[in-house]
Amino acid sequence: MLAEFASISTLLTLNLLFAGVALAIGFALGAWFFGTATTSVDKAQSDSQDAEVQLAAERAMMATQRIQDLAKNMVSDVDAHAVKVEQINTELQAIADESPSEESDAVFATIGRMIDANNALQNRLAQAEKQIAAQAADLRSYETEARTDSLTGLANRRAFDDEILRRFAEWQRRRTPFTLLILDIDHFKQFNDSHGHPAGDEVLRNVGKVLVKTARQMDLPCRYGGEEFAAVLPSTDIQESRVAAERFRKAIESSVVKFEGKPFSVTASIGVARVSDDDYDQARLIRRADEALYKSKEAGRNCGHWHDGSQCWPVVSAKPTAAPQDNAANGAMLIDCVATKSTFVDILHRRVVESHRFG
């Protein structure tokens, strides 16, 4: 009899342990995804112009509510099961105290009921687990949609803002450089007026494909807004950034879009800015890239300029100097020194840090 009660106690313990673990998992998933969806809603509401982000956030909120409902149902199932197990335990005790002659058959029948209750609860919890997994997949999908431009498939403005914040924080902590490119399709409004918005949309999709194909794996090309695009280039010095900007420009210029049997081609103007010590926040870096972009437009479009912190220079030519004409050699040396100044400062900073770290 003691052995039978020990078996019953073991079954009860394992059952409650299983239920508790499953319940904890359900609540953890619900809380984690609820936090994710709430963040998405807060960010989406801050930008009333981004209807796609708002829609994705609302869908994520609905999925989160379904996860909460599942968690509540799991609590109800576990509570009901606990009551049922307590009743069975009471019956077993009564059998042991009042009916010794019928003890064996009654105990086995009661244990059978407990096993059935365990199986029923396990089935309900397994079903709830599958439903939670499905809702989690939906939430991941909605989160992706909220960060992706539906037309081009690129990262959208929200994802761009997050990336700039992250890269700028990394620059402040570890002095890891990065560069921002902003490009604008030349005369895009006139193109839409002449050929229609469907053709314009096809051009935007094609530019997005060109950016993805031309960018490095570590780069993040984005749809900045309208006909503007951007690319965040991590661990890139200004010379590499200038080369990248010209590579993007040439790729867009040489690309041909076919729409309704007609070939179309566009060009783009580009602005480049590399993060520097003078950039007290990411907004200033973006303003510098914008200034370089508008300098490219003023220069006739289909070209690129980079901002050195005070003024803009063409990406395809060396930065000029104020050296006198009769001192060409010194002028050339000055060009080299100025052109590599930011790189030199970065190297010097790293060496100083290494010196302190390793003695």
Side-chain angles (χ1 to χ4, degrees):
M1 184 62 191
L2 292 177
E4 291 173 341
F5 272 113
S7 299
I8 295 170
S9 178
T10 301
L11 283 173
L12 177 60
T13 302
L14 290 176
N15 168 72
L16 293 178
L17 178 63
F18 173 80
V21 170
L23 181 60
I25 293 174
F27 270 129
L29 283 172
W32 186 79
F33 286 116
F34 179 72
T36 300
T38 302
T39 301
S40 300
V41 171
D42 291 341
K43 290 185 177 180
Q45 289 178 342
S46 67
D47 186 1
S48 59
Q49 301 299 321
D50 196 344
E52 293 180 359
V53 173
Q54 180 69 31
L55 178 60
E58 290 173 356
R59 293 165 64 192
M61 197 65 177
M62 293 174 62
T64 303
Q65 186 60 52
R66 287 194 290 270
I67 289 180
Q68 287 183 302
D69 293 340
L70 286 171
K72 291 178 181 178
N73 291 337
M74 291 172 68
V75 171
S76 177
D77 289 341
V78 171
D79 287 344
H81 184 72
V83 171
K84 186 178 296 184
V85 169
E86 182 63 27
Q87 292 174 348
I88 293 174
N89 191 44
T90 301
E91 291 178 14
L92 286 172
Q93 187 63 43
I95 292 172
D97 294 339
E98 299 175 5
S99 305
S101 61
E102 301 178 359
E103 183 177 313
S104 179
D105 293 340
V107 166
F108 282 119
T110 307
I111 290 176
R113 289 172 54 200
M114 179 176 287
I115 293 175
D116 291 341
N118 284 340
N119 291 336
L121 179 61
Q122 289 176 3
N123 290 335
R124 288 194 296 272
L125 292 178
Q127 183 179 5
E129 183 181 1
K130 291 180 181 179
Q131 291 175 323
I132 288 176
Q135 297 303 323
D138 287 343
L139 281 172
R140 286 192 293 269
S141 175
Y142 301 152
E143 178 69 11
T144 299
E145 291 178 13
R147 298 175 61 85
T148 303
D149 177 62
S150 60
L151 179 64
T152 63
L154 297 178
N156 62 11
R157 179 61 182 270
R158 176 186 173 211
F160 167 82
D161 291 339
D162 290 344
E163 178 71 1
I164 284 290
L165 283 172
R166 187 172 71 86
R167 293 294 177 184
F168 193 80
E170 190 176 22
W171 160 256
Q172 291 179 317
R173 287 196 313 271
R174 303 177 182 176
R175 313 306 293 175
T176 303
F178 71 96
T179 301
L180 171 63
L181 270 65
I182 297 180
L183 63 90
D184 185 273
I185 299 177
D186 296 328
H187 305 296
F188 187 71
K189 184 178 184 303
Q190 291 89 324
F191 182 92
N192 269 343
D193 293 342
S194 300
H195 305 288
H197 288 281
D201 289 346
E202 189 62 31
V203 166
L204 293 175
R205 277 190 288 266
N206 184 71
V207 170
K209 294 177 182 177
V210 170
L211 293 181
V212 171
K213 184 178 180 180
T214 309
R216 302 171 301 177
Q217 187 174 5
M218 70 177 70
D219 300 335
L220 180 68
C222 310
R223 174 92 179 275
Y224 192 64
E227 67 271 22
E228 283 191 331
F229 295 81
V232 180
L233 313 181
S235 303
T236 309
D237 62 33
I238 193 59
Q239 181 58 33
E240 293 170 333
S241 303
R242 291 164 59 184
V243 172
E246 183 64 8
R247 185 170 65 247
F248 281 125
R249 187 196 66 79
K250 288 182 177 179
I252 293 172
E253 181 184 36
S254 61
S255 177
V256 177
V257 183
K258 290 186 178 180
F259 181 76
E260 294 183 347
K262 299 178 181 178
F264 298 101
S265 60
V266 294
T267 60
S269 301
I270 302 179
V272 182
R274 181 181 181 274
V275 68
S276 71
D277 290 327
D278 294 331
D279 294 322
Y280 44 83
D281 60 18
Q282 66 276 5
R284 187 177 187 278
L285 174 66
I286 295 174
R287 283 196 299 270
R288 291 201 293 118
D290 269 331
E291 289 180 17
L293 172 62
Y294 283 106
K295 188 67 176 179
S296 297
K297 293 181 178 181
E298 293 174 359
R301 303 178 189 268
N302 192 25
C303 62
H305 282 73
W306 63 282
H307 199 291
D308 68 355
S310 58
Q311 54 186 317
C312 301
W313 307 96
V315 300
V316 294
S317 63
K319 180 178 175 180
T321 74
Q325 295 295 325
D326 57 353
N327 196 357
N330 289 338
M333 291 177 62
L334 182 58
I335 291 174
D336 291 339
C337 291
V338 174
T340 60
K341 178 180 177 182
S342 59
T343 303
F344 170 76
V345 170
D346 288 339
I347 293 174
L348 180 61
H349 178 81
R350 288 197 297 271
R351 293 294 181 263
V352 171
V353 172
E354 290 173 359
S355 174
H356 288 299
R357 183 180 302 162
F358 302 111

